[in-house]
Each structure stands twice: as structure tokens, then as C-alpha cells.
Amino acid sequence: MQVTIKSVEEQERMRVAGRLAAEVLDMIEAHVRPGTSTGELDRICHEYITEQQQAVPAPLNYRGFPRSICTSLNHVVCHGIPGKRRLRDGDMLNIDITVIKDGFHGDTSRIFHVGRPRIKARRLASITFEAMWAGIRQVAPGKRLGDVGHAIQALAESKGLSVVREYCGHGIGRMFHEPPNVLHYGKPGGGMILREGMTITVEPMLNEGRPETRLLPDGWTVVTRDRKLSAQWEHTVLVTANGHEVLTLGAGPPGP
Ligand code: MF3
Ligand code: CO
Ligand code: CO
């Protein structure tokens, strides 16, 4: 499959899908507190997406994924499956939302701290947020994916954090995962040239310790091999004539 260029009409539909995904995160924030289970967060998001938004939760049954959102706690890198686990004070939780509206996908994730964050979790979450934005700032027509990856990697490694290699950002549109792969490491001036009308995600996963990951026997949950903390933030981004437009901004303050 080739990289898709979205027409002006398709860009508008991507804008709607992106806004809806962000609104799910805005909505769920108040429910992220000690005692709530990740399965309850999934149920609340599922009902909001299907009933209020009249949209489709893209993860549900995607390649066999069993729930409507991903919930990745502490040393879980990504693709955590919601279930019985209840949130506890000091947990760091990534919630990853992807909705389909009018045929197009919007994909975004944020870190939430449960109760009082641990110092290390606060630092990791906030540097990962800065790294995502350093990558997004590189997005413009004529720039290359290597510029995006390098900006993220340079910031992460300058702070002593490592970049996960096995999972990456992606093109997005009518399909959840389209080409190109958006690596969160790379060389300036390398990789594919960005062009107006492309839509991609930037979603770095940064680890406190070593970069290596392991897949749990459930076939989905990705954890750090050294069991140290991992954090992730994600936005869906449109390449515009002059630079970029982030399609998944929330209503509130954007930060960690
Ligand atoms: N939302 C994830 C991403 O950012 C993908 C989740 S795939 C799922 O690309 F099947 F786990 F939902
Ligand atoms: Co994504
Ligand atoms: Co996502």
C-alpha cells in the first residue's frame, strides 16, 4: 500500500475523528482515580464512543484485540488490555483511544497519574510529552521522517532515557495503520519526505531503563524487559502547506 494523501474533504473528516478521540480522553480523565478498574475505564469509553459520539472504537476486534481502548500501566509499554486491575495511588497510566468516524480514524493517547505521582513517573511522563512535541515540531512538507525521529531520540537520550524500537507511529486515515512507519529515532535528513495532505501519528514510547521490550503470553501486552517504567503520548498530525496541524488536541491544558 502507498502513502495516502488526504483531499481537503478527507482532511476535514480526519479533523472530526481526531477531535472525537481527544474528547474521549477529556471525558475519561475524571474517572482515573484509585479504586477504578481498567475494565471500568474501557466500558465507560466504549459507551461514550458508541452512544454519545456515534462512532466506532477501532481497537475492538482489531487483529483480535478484545477491548475498545488500550490501558498501559507503569512498566507496560503499550497495548495493555483493560481488565480487573484496579488503579492505585502512584500508578502511571497511558490510555490510548482510537475512534472511527465517517470512515476515518483519529488516534491519541495521554499519560494520567493516579493520585500522587512518584517522582520518577512524573519526570518520565513529562520528558516523553516534550519528546512527542519535539517530533511534532519537525512535521512540515519537505521535511523527512528522520528529522522527526531524530528530534525525539536526541531529547530522550539527552535526559538518560531510551527509545523503544519495536513499535512506532504510522500513517492513518481510512485504515488504522497505514504506511509510512514513523520511527521515534533516526538521522536528520533521512527517511521519507513529508508532503502536504499526509496524516501520521507521533507516539514515542520512552523507557526509564533499557529499551528492550517483551510480549506477554496474552499476545498483546508489551512490557519493558527490565520491568522499569515506560511512558507514551500520541497525537495524530496533518501535514499542511506551511507545517502541520495537530488533529487530536483536547479541550484542556495539553500537558502532563
Ligand atoms: N492505538 C495504538 C496505536 O497507537 C494501536 C492499538 S492496536 C490495538 O497505534 F489493537 F491494540 F488496539
Ligand atoms: Co497510533
Ligand atoms: Co494509539
Side-chain angles (χ1 to χ4, degrees):
M1 182 186 172
Q2 284 299 310
V3 174
T4 58
I5 299 293
K6 277 74 180 178
S7 66
V8 170
E9 291 74 21
E10 291 170 332
Q11 291 173 23
E12 186 51 34
R13 288 154 78 177
M14 286 294 295
R15 236 174 240 117
V16 171
R19 180 169 48 73
L20 292 180
E23 285 174 358
V24 178
L25 289 175
D26 290 347
M27 178 279 299
I28 203 62
E29 178 160 23
H31 297 275
V32 179
R33 52 185 184 229
T36 308
S37 72
T38 54
E40 285 161 9
L41 297 176
D42 175 69
R43 180 186 53 77
I44 295 164
C45 289
H46 179 91
E47 288 180 11
Y48 186 80
I49 293 165
T50 57
E51 291 167 23
Q52 308 277 327
Q53 298 187 330
Q54 299 286 306
V56 175
L60 187 60
N61 301 320
Y62 178 78
R63 299 181 182 219
F65 191 80
R67 295 284 180 266
S68 295
I69 68 173
C70 296
T71 51
S72 301
L73 272 165
N74 301 323
H75 70 293
V76 178
V77 174
C78 61
H79 304 167
I81 303 172
K84 291 189 187 313
R85 167 70 151 83
R86 291 189 185 280
L87 302 178
R88 299 191 281 258
D89 186 66
D91 276 340
M92 180 177 70
L93 175 68
N94 173 280
I95 301 181
D96 194 336
I97 302 292
T98 312
V99 305
I100 312 169
K101 182 71 173 182
D102 194 18
F104 285 82
H105 290 72
D107 188 7
T108 183
S109 79
R110 297 180 198 157
I111 291 281
F112 298 93
H113 296 287
V114 182
R116 295 158 300 182
R118 306 271 183 269
I119 300 279
K120 281 182 170 181
R122 191 201 293 271
R123 176 175 185 269
L124 178 63
S126 95
I127 295 170
T128 306
F129 176 80
E130 291 306 329
M132 171 188 67
W133 279 106
I136 291 171
R137 279 196 298 274
Q138 295 295 316
V139 175
K143 299 280 288 204
R144 289 175 179 265
L145 286 176
D147 300 322
V148 176
H150 175 76
I152 293 166
Q153 181 181 17
L155 195 146
E157 293 179 353
S158 78
K159 306 284 186 184
L161 303 176
S162 62
V163 178
V164 169
R165 310 298 161 111
E166 292 93 334
Y167 303 88
C168 57
H170 48 93
I172 182 168
R174 290 185 186 276
M175 308 236 302
F176 196 160
H177 296 109
E178 299 184 354
N181 283 334
V182 179
L183 304 183
H184 302 116
Y185 57 92
K187 293 192 170 58
M192 179 184 287
I193 301 186
L194 293 170
R195 303 204 183 281
E196 184 181 356
M198 288 182 180
T199 44
I200 60 171
T201 72
V202 178
E203 50 178 302
M205 287 142 276
L206 301 191
N207 294 355
E208 184 194 13
R210 304 274 317 151
E212 291 82 12
T213 66
R214 192 165 73 85
L215 183 64
L216 294 189
D218 64 22
W220 282 103
T221 310
V222 178
V223 298
T224 55
R225 272 200 178 262
D226 62 11
R227 297 231 145 202
K228 292 190 174 188
L229 293 175
S230 184
Q232 179 177 32
W233 292 78
E234 175 176 23
H235 275 308
T236 297
V237 183
L238 167 70
V239 184
T240 63
N242 308 316
H244 59 264
E245 179 182 338
V246 179
L247 303 182
T248 43
L249 294 174

